[in-house]
Amino acid sequence: NAGVTQTPKFQVLKTGQSMTLQCAQDMNHNSMYWYRQDPGMGLRLIYYSASEGTTDKGEVPNGYNVSRLNKREFSLRLESAAPSQTSVYFCASSEADRGAYGYTFGSGTRLTVV
Amino acid sequence: GNSVTQMEGPVTLSEEAFLTINCTYTATGYPSLFWYVQYPGEGLQLLLKATKADDKGSNKGFEATYRKETTSFHLEKGSVQVSDSAVYFCALLSGGSYIPTFGRGTSLIVHP
């Protein structure tokens, strides 16, 4: 049972480059989320998708775009990377009942923008 | 709005010591409350939860009781192990929302 799988695990980008972080879940969850984690800041929500076909902005959406490709996959794209986007990115998913049973997180992507 | 406040870390303990990590919250309605644990280099894992007042969540020797009167959900363990060293996050989910509110996390370091 893989749960939530994120790729890549590590990435170094130059300022201005673009990339897509991939996330897939095999638990048939309806809702998926992208967070970033920075020292002293805890977790901050970037975007979420309550169900297939819908996406909404979270707390810190600027500089990011997302695509809910299907029920399993939810990708995060950085169109023009900036050093301020250096962070650890986590994808998560939850069941249709709005997360009352908790979230399942991936193991993260550590991104460095130089 | 909703908010979660956790005690600042790091919390440093010797093995077999008693652990308390404080968590208080502000929320509308009757939220569900959660503790997550993040081991080094990994994502967050759900540790325990409670969905209504006076409920006690428990898992792996950890416990937390949902106290509505004090708006608290403190995490406790009677005897910590080195393997419990991690960052612990308190979170709430308010009714009708998809989005939990997380605290900033408390780092626990357990020495042999």
Side-chain angles (χ1 to χ4, degrees):
Chain A
N1 187 358
V4 177
T5 302
Q6 291 183 236
T7 56
K9 293 190 182 301
F10 301 93
Q11 184 71 50
V12 178
L13 290 179
K14 294 182 179 179
T15 298
Q17 286 185 318
S18 63
M19 80 161 294
T20 299
L21 282 63
Q22 307 287 351
C23 174
Q25 53 93 6
D26 62 2
M27 297 167 289
N28 203 36
H29 286 172
N30 277 338
S31 302
M32 298 184 74
Y33 314 80
W34 276 105
Y35 286 88
R36 60 178 290 173
Q37 185 179 34
D38 302 291
M41 302 293 291
L43 287 168
R44 292 184 292 172
L45 183 67
I46 305 171
Y47 271 93
Y48 68 101
S49 171
S51 61
E52 186 178 357
T54 69
T55 61
D56 287 284
K57 295 178 181 179
E59 182 184 355
V60 289
N62 290 345
Y64 305 95
N65 286 299
V66 291
S67 295
R68 185 73 183 267
L69 304 170
N70 48 54
K71 191 171 185 178
R72 292 186 62 249
E73 298 173 287
F74 188 40
S75 63
L76 178 72
R77 183 161 179 83
L78 287 70
E79 290 292 351
S80 179
S84 61
Q85 294 178 305
T86 294
S87 186
V88 182
Y89 291 85
F90 289 100
C91 178
S93 68
S94 67
E95 294 183 27
D97 58 355
R98 299 190 171 96
Y101 292 101
Y103 281 15
T104 301
F105 283 81
S107 57
T109 295
R110 188 174 296 274
L111 175 67
T112 302
V113 183
V114 298
Chain B
N2 298 334
S3 67
V4 174
T5 302
Q6 292 181 233
M7 59 190 293
E8 297 223 1
V11 174
T12 304
L13 295 173
S14 297
E15 206 164 24
E16 299 184 1
F18 185 86
L19 169 71
T20 300
I21 299 178
N22 290 339
C23 171
T24 57
Y25 68 89
T26 303
T28 55
Y30 301 93
S32 296
L33 301 173
F34 305 84
W35 276 101
Y36 286 83
V37 58
Q38 183 180 31
Y39 298 104
E42 299 183 11
L44 280 69
Q45 303 174 26
L46 179 64
L47 181 59
L48 53 84
K49 69 178 179 74
T51 58
K52 60 184 188 295
D54 299 326
D55 267 3
K56 178 184 284 188
S58 61
N59 187 24
K60 299 181 181 180
F62 291 90
E63 294 183 339
T65 302
Y66 187 163
R67 301 287 189 199
K68 194 172 189 314
E69 64 277 13
T70 55
T71 62
S72 65
F73 192 54
H74 303 322
L75 183 68
E76 297 181 335
K77 187 175 185 183
S79 176
V80 293
Q81 306 300 312
V82 172
S83 57
D84 294 326
S85 298
V87 180
Y88 293 82
F89 291 87
C90 184
L92 71 83
L93 187 66
S94 191
S97 173
Y98 287 96
I99 310 303
T101 301
F102 285 91
R104 292 195 169 189
T106 302
S107 175
L108 170 65
I109 301 169
V110 181
H111 294 292

